[in-house]
Amino acid sequence: MLYNVGMKNIVILISGRGSNMQAVVNAAHVQKWPARIAAVISNRADADGLVFAQQHGIPTVVVASSDYATRVAFDAALQSAIEPFSPDLVVLAGFMRILTPQFVQHYDGRLLNIHPSLLPRFKGLHTHRQALQANVTEHGATVHLVTAELDHGPILGQATVPVLPDDTEDTLAQRVLEQEHILYPGVIRQILEGKR
Ligand code: GRF
């Protein structure tokens, strides 16, 4: 492969379906970003998203969290897997792990996450359930820089959807996910263009 030195390297971390990863891969290709998706790395060997990445010729790596006794050991192995790809950005896309402060510090300023709520509301898991229980009329997704505290960190972009009277967790999740697939590539592109 011919490597263009002007290209930025993006490493995407997934744990499962990987639909946000797919949205980023597709946008990078269609919009001809000055970046390559250097690798997709999963903490689970059975993550469905790995198949998509392989089919698109993207290097994949599995660092199985089940193989490591401690968070520190896992994150050290994860960092060792990421480093050979010289990442300019590390993009968490449904990566279901809490990261250690050491790891977060190492990637300070280049580690992004998408969270399915309008932060600072509804941190943690089951965000769509939390939104329905809180009776909010608006919900959405947030892209933020990752800091040591879970689901904190400077917000880089948000997308809002209405909550409809007959929504279930599934219908709401689907409506939010459609927006995630627009929001995440959009924010990453702005970063690559130096607009953030
Ligand atoms: C998305 O809703 C994302 O916001 C959250 O986990 C989900 C991952 O979905 N962090 P996918 O793996 O990108 O399809």
Side-chain angles (χ1 to χ4, degrees):
M1 191 188 287
L2 279 176
Y3 268 22
N4 177 339
V5 286
M7 299 277 268
K8 302 266 193 217
N9 289 319
I10 300 174
V11 171
I12 306 181
L13 307 189
I14 65 169
S15 295
R17 180 177 55 185
S19 70
N20 278 290
M21 175 272 293
Q22 294 184 30
V24 172
V25 168
N26 289 334
H29 178 68
V30 171
Q31 298 168 6
K32 299 188 168 41
W33 290 359
R36 69 176 73 82
I37 310 305
V40 170
I41 300 179
S42 173
N43 67 312
R44 296 179 54 121
D46 62 355
D48 288 336
L50 290 170
V51 177
F52 174 92
Q54 283 154 5
Q55 286 170 346
H56 287 72
I58 299 168
T60 59
V61 181
V62 174
V63 184
S65 32
S66 50
D67 288 350
Y68 297 87
T70 65
R71 276 191 199 289
V72 170
F74 171 74
D75 282 7
L78 182 62
Q79 190 175 316
S80 298
I82 294 171
E83 284 305 291
F85 299 102
S86 306
D88 297 286
L89 284 178
V90 176
V91 169
L92 306 181
F95 188 65
M96 302 301 286
R97 295 277 310 178
I98 293 172
L99 295 161
T100 55
Q102 297 94 311
F103 182 94
V104 171
Q105 181 59 40
H106 182 78
Y107 294 108
D108 185 34
R110 44 187 181 134
L111 184 58
L112 307 180
N113 184 41
I114 188 160
H115 182 76
S117 79
L118 293 173
L119 290 172
R121 298 208 76 174
F122 314 133
K123 300 186 173 87
L125 296 174
H126 308 300
T127 55
H128 309 303
R129 191 184 308 167
Q130 291 187 56
L132 290 174
Q133 285 171 351
N135 268 312
V136 291
T137 55
E138 286 193 324
H139 185 45
T142 302
V143 175
H144 63 97
L145 280 170
V146 177
T147 54
E149 199 176 349
L150 183 68
D151 299 333
H152 279 69
I155 290 175
L156 302 178
Q158 290 187 310
T160 303
V161 302
V163 180
L164 304 180
D166 55 355
D167 262 334
T168 63
E169 267 183 71
D170 283 350
T171 60
L172 188 53
Q174 183 57 39
R175 193 174 308 119
V176 171
L177 192 64
E178 283 172 19
Q179 292 304 312
E180 293 184 40
H181 295 164
I182 300 167
L183 174 69
Y184 215 177
V187 170
I188 294 168
R189 187 180 180 177
Q190 286 183 340
I191 293 171
L192 293 172
E193 290 174 346
K195 294 180 182 159
R196 290 216 164 257

